[in-house]
Amino acid sequence: MGIGITQEQRELAEAMRGWVARVVPPEEVRKLLDSAPRAGARPGYWDALLESGLLAPHLEGGTLLDLAVVVEEAARAALPGGYLPSALASVLLQRAGAGPLGERTGAVALGPGTLTAVAVEGGGHLLDGTAPPVLGAGDADLVLLAAEAAHGTLWFAVDAAALDVRSHESADPTRPTAEVRARGVSVPAGRLLPLDAALVRDAACALFAADACGTAAWALHTAAEYAKVREQFGRPIGQFQGVKHLIADMLVRLEQARALAWDAAQAMDEAPDVRSLAAALAAATALDAAYSCAKDCIQVLGGIGFTWEHDAHIYLRRALVARQLLGSGDGHRVRAVRLAAAGTRRELRLELPAEAETHRARARAAIADARGLDPAAARRVLAPTGYAAPYLPPPYGLGAGPVEQLVVQQELKEAGVKVADLGIATWVVPSLLAYGTDAQRERYLLPTLRGDVTWCQLFSEPGAGSDLASLRTRAERAEDGTWKVNGQKVWTSSAHSADFGILLARTDPAAPKHKGLGYFVVDMKGARGIDVRPLKEITGEALFNEVYFDDVELPADALVGAPDGGWKVARNTLGNERVHMADQMTFDTGLEALIARSADLDGAGRARIGALAAEAHALACIGLRTTLQQVSGLEPGAGASVRKLVQTPHQQRTAELALELLGPAGAVCEGAGARAVHGMLMSRCLTIAGGTTQVQLNVVAERILGLPRD
């Protein structure tokens, strides 16, 4: 999947992919590597592209997002020549209210260089000077140029035939830049465009970000496919954890870039400061993602990737040129922080389909009884109605699909009703629903949903954290069907206060380690032989516990599912846990505090905050994209799987920078230092809890990219 997430956008991407494969196969691109650059050479595929209707989808009843979808696919195929600069010129001419490019090719200078404009009688101007390197100007029929005039920068649409154009010996021979010089060129008044530098920059950032996503996507695909078949030391290199993690991280970078490029394309119609914020975040992330993924692709390919014959260097060259023309990521990040510090925010809006209104009145009526109540009381009122957990089937929920769930969320927010969080029980309930008996559901579910009982999770052990299948706590079955449990659990939050726990224990030591496991409900207050000991963490607090089981007897009905089916039940629980833990839609308070301080920092400090802002907004966009796909009944794609891999290190970096900026005051656990030190230390658990980052990278590499298991 790419930038586009709707069925129509996916079909558009497929159409462009198929067209490029037929008309401009890779061997045609490679012919340009050893060709001398020459001006005035329109791409040979141009007429065919015009006939396909893919040249300017934004002008044919589509949107700028549709154009971004096509640009990404063109870049994935390294489509040579001036497609990207023509697309940018077309967008700017449309925004300026000028006529479309039509059959012509276009290019855009991204700054005035030494060009000056002098007004002449009749409203025209004379242009003199040289533009900065212009991508695709050697192919262009029309060049959009900026020039310094008496009252600021002006923009002109100039026929290339009136200019001196010399194609450079470009770092990217497949899409070269050119020197554009004007020697007293007369430009009539009708060619003066009502553009400004910010609009040109933002449009360029949006389309170059889409182009960068295509480059990164090719690099990721190429690296992953090579890692599946290239053998070293008798096995595919994709089995080596270092290679696996590198490629999975490429996917994480690409998904962030796609989410931000998707948002930037849509934000072009927003207020200028909002548009600029979205464009800056997209360019900062996508251009760097293309550059880093292209380099990492060569690293995975090894020696073959360093040869002229392999296509990898073509994509690295493209990424290199884009960053040189638009600027590296830090420049865009600093610009984004400057806008954010001035109060600019990008509000993401979820437009629900018409069917949403069929649920709204009923939801509003049910929620009315919870108005004005504290969160715990609101839960007790709403649980029997199904509105405390609408995604669950009746009688526990509403059996609501994505649209109705979102309506309930909106109405709760509108009514000012907050429902108390269930903690671990959020992950327990779906497992009991899926695998519990009728008696277990009747006993536990409604009391849990009302908030009358609390839960803890007894999974991890000293020797089995992420690798839960290696756990050693044993559950032995007696002749009367009861179970006797012995062993130790660790990192268990709320064990000292929970009413019940969910326990994973080995029921068959002789079975393969994923097979002989059972999943049990433990009465934490009624069962004898349970010893809960506080576990002091690096913060000095004891939020977690060690739990010892010494001949703890569990009744026969404590087992959930089959005696050897605990792994299946546990995976259901863990799957719900990861979705819940990855939930984030907006800047958090820690990042907002950093943005507020940014004016006092140097460029490097502001760039670091900008990187955090880009991650935070990418998380929000990934979340919205995932939700929109669920609403449409489509598969959510890779975004949902990478959110935790983005969110947890993001929270760690936010806490670390907040501490660092305190300077010497952060060396003492007093005042602001105490809060910052605690925040930094506490954040270290985030990339461990719910599956370590390293294990998650393995999961992404194997399940999404198809890399071989160890």
Side-chain angles (χ1 to χ4, degrees):
M1 195 179 69
I3 290 173
I5 60 173
T6 68
Q7 186 61 41
E8 292 78 10
Q9 289 161 356
R10 294 182 186 190
E11 292 171 358
L12 179 61
E14 186 62 35
M16 184 61 179
R17 192 177 307 140
W19 180 88
V20 174
R22 292 190 304 273
V23 180
V24 194
E27 55 268 24
E28 292 299 314
V29 179
R30 292 200 60 82
K31 289 178 182 179
L32 299 172
L33 293 179
D34 299 308
S35 302
R38 55 195 178 93
R42 174 184 290 199
Y45 60 76
W46 203 255
D47 290 340
L49 187 59
L50 280 168
E51 293 175 4
S52 72
L54 295 168
L55 180 61
H58 61 299
L59 299 178
E60 314 228 356
T63 65
L64 189 63
L65 181 55
D66 293 325
L67 178 60
V69 168
V70 175
V71 166
E72 180 185 24
E73 290 303 326
R76 191 199 294 259
L79 184 66
Y83 176 71
L84 174 62
S86 284
L88 177 58
S90 175
V91 168
L92 292 173
L93 288 171
Q94 179 192 32
R95 299 272 161 168
L101 271 173
E103 298 182 0
R104 296 173 296 174
T105 54
V108 181
L110 298 179
T114 64
L115 278 172
T116 59
V118 177
V120 296
E121 190 174 346
H125 289 80
L126 285 179
L127 300 187
D128 271 291
T130 304
V134 181
L135 186 68
D139 297 346
D141 299 314
L142 188 73
V143 184
L144 274 58
L145 294 175
E148 295 295 348
H151 301 291
T153 304
L154 300 177
W155 288 84
F156 303 90
V158 185
D159 291 328
L163 301 164
D164 294 337
V165 179
R166 179 184 65 84
S167 290
H168 291 124
E169 187 174 338
S170 177
D172 175 14
T174 70
R175 193 167 66 182
T177 57
E179 177 185 87
V180 177
R181 183 184 297 272
R183 303 177 190 273
V185 173
S186 177
V187 183
R191 291 296 188 93
L192 177 63
L193 301 175
L195 297 173
D196 62 76
L199 175 60
V200 173
R201 178 197 59 213
D202 295 343
C205 284
L207 290 186
F208 272 71
D211 182 83
C213 289
T215 298
W218 181 92
L220 170 64
H221 176 78
T222 301
E225 293 305 304
Y226 185 79
K228 295 175 187 177
V229 298
R230 172 62 169 163
E231 292 191 357
Q232 289 284 284
F233 306 104
R235 55 184 180 144
I237 63 172
Q239 285 188 344
F240 300 139
Q241 186 161 278
V243 174
K244 192 173 292 186
H245 287 189
L246 178 62
I247 298 175
D249 189 62
M250 291 169 69
L251 175 64
V252 172
R253 283 174 263 154
L254 172 58
E255 286 303 313
Q256 291 181 82
R258 278 175 167 160
L260 291 172
W262 171 82
D263 185 57
Q266 297 176 102
M268 283 298 294
D269 292 321
E270 299 290 336
D273 57 340
V274 175
R275 179 195 71 207
S276 292
L277 177 62
L281 294 175
T285 303
L287 296 182
D288 281 0
Y291 189 53
S292 63
C293 285
K295 291 187 294 182
D296 287 342
C297 177
I298 292 173
Q299 183 69 26
V300 172
L301 293 170
I304 190 66
F306 192 66
T307 63
W308 185 261
E309 285 73 20
H310 199 284
D311 289 347
H313 71 99
I314 296 175
Y315 290 85
L316 178 58
R317 289 168 179 274
R318 288 207 158 195
L320 179 157
V321 168
R323 288 175 88 245
Q324 294 303 122
L325 292 177
L326 264 72
S328 66
D330 277 356
H332 299 289
R333 285 185 271 271
V334 168
R335 180 160 58 93
V337 169
R338 187 167 58 248
L339 289 162
T344 302
R345 295 292 182 274
R346 168 71 167 136
E347 180 185 355
L348 297 178
R349 294 185 291 271
L350 177 63
E351 300 293 338
L352 294 179
E355 66 176 277
E357 298 311 308
T358 64
H359 307 296
R360 198 170 298 281
R362 186 169 64 249
R364 191 169 297 166
I367 290 167
D369 291 338
R371 282 180 177 269
L373 299 179
D374 64 72
R379 172 165 288 284
R380 284 193 293 274
V381 167
L382 293 177
T385 71
Y387 278 87
Y391 54 91
L392 297 176
Y396 313 105
L398 304 174
V403 174
E404 187 174 4
Q405 290 179 45
L406 292 166
V407 169
V408 173
Q409 292 175 29
Q410 290 177 346
E411 291 302 317
L412 285 169
K413 183 177 180 181
E414 180 67 23
V417 174
K418 293 185 178 180
V419 180
D421 185 67
L422 288 176
I424 293 293
T426 304
W427 316 319
V428 176
V429 168
S431 295
L432 290 176
L433 268 172
Y435 297 100
T437 64
D438 290 341
Q440 288 169 336
R441 296 189 192 104
E442 184 176 355
R443 179 181 178 186
Y444 298 118
L445 290 185
L446 280 178
T448 297
L449 291 170
R450 287 195 302 265
D452 295 339
V453 298
T454 59
W455 294 78
C456 66
Q457 180 176 282
L458 301 157
F459 284 8
S460 295
E461 297 182 3
S466 296
D467 183 15
L468 288 176
S470 295
L471 57 81
R472 297 184 177 183
T473 295
R474 296 181 63 169
E476 298 176 306
R477 195 171 198 171
E479 291 183 2
D480 62 357
T482 61
W483 298 86
K484 184 176 290 185
V485 179
N486 286 278
Q488 177 189 358
K489 296 295 180 176
V490 73
W491 312 122
T492 307
S493 59
S494 303
H496 61 290
S497 61
D499 297 297
F500 297 99
I502 47 173
L503 168 71
L504 198 60
R506 187 159 299 285
T507 53
D508 184 358
K513 61 181 187 177
H514 286 87
K515 299 283 188 181
L517 298 175
Y519 186 106
F520 300 88
V521 172
V522 178
D523 185 340
M524 295 298 292
K525 295 180 176 177
R528 296 181 180 179
I530 299 177
D531 183 13
V532 179
R533 303 177 189 176
L535 183 63
K536 197 171 185 178
E537 297 95 41
I538 62 175
T539 60
E541 299 170 315
L543 301 177
F544 299 97
N545 302 273
E546 294 177 289
V547 182
Y548 293 86
F549 293 83
D550 183 10
D551 284 343
V552 176
E553 291 190 9
L554 301 180
D557 63 1
L559 179 69
V560 179
D564 61 352
W567 183 248
K568 182 185 294 185
V569 184
R571 285 194 61 178
N572 177 279
T573 300
L574 290 172
N576 282 282
E577 175 184 12
R578 287 180 183 130
V579 169
H580 177 75
M581 290 183 67
D583 186 31
Q584 176 175 316
M585 288 299 290
T586 57
F587 291 175
D588 61 23
T589 54
L591 180 53
E592 289 287 4
L594 291 174
I595 291 171
R597 294 197 56 188
S598 62
D600 300 327
L601 305 179
D602 60 14
R606 289 194 293 272
R608 290 175 65 184
I609 297 174
L612 295 173
E615 288 174 349
H617 193 55
L619 282 164
C621 292
I622 290 170
L624 180 57
R625 281 162 60 88
T626 301
T627 299
L628 288 170
Q629 289 169 97
Q630 291 173 323
V631 167
S632 301
L634 300 172
E635 289 297 319
S641 299
V642 304
R643 289 182 72 196
K644 185 174 186 289
L645 288 169
V646 178
Q647 181 177 345
T648 51
H650 163 76
Q651 290 173 296
Q652 289 176 335
R653 285 190 283 267
T654 301
E656 289 165 5
L657 184 55
L659 175 61
E660 182 180 324
L661 294 181
L662 287 178
V668 298
C669 290
E670 299 176 4
R675 293 188 297 274
V677 169
H678 179 274
M680 189 283 288
L681 293 174
M682 190 64 191
S683 74
R684 299 317 309 164
C685 77
L686 298 175
T687 47
I688 302 171
T692 67
T693 294
Q694 289 68 35
V695 170
Q696 292 302 304
L697 287 168
N698 279 354
V699 171
V700 166
E702 293 166 3
R703 296 184 185 174
I704 296 178
L705 297 173
L707 294 183
R709 295 178 180 272
D710 294 339

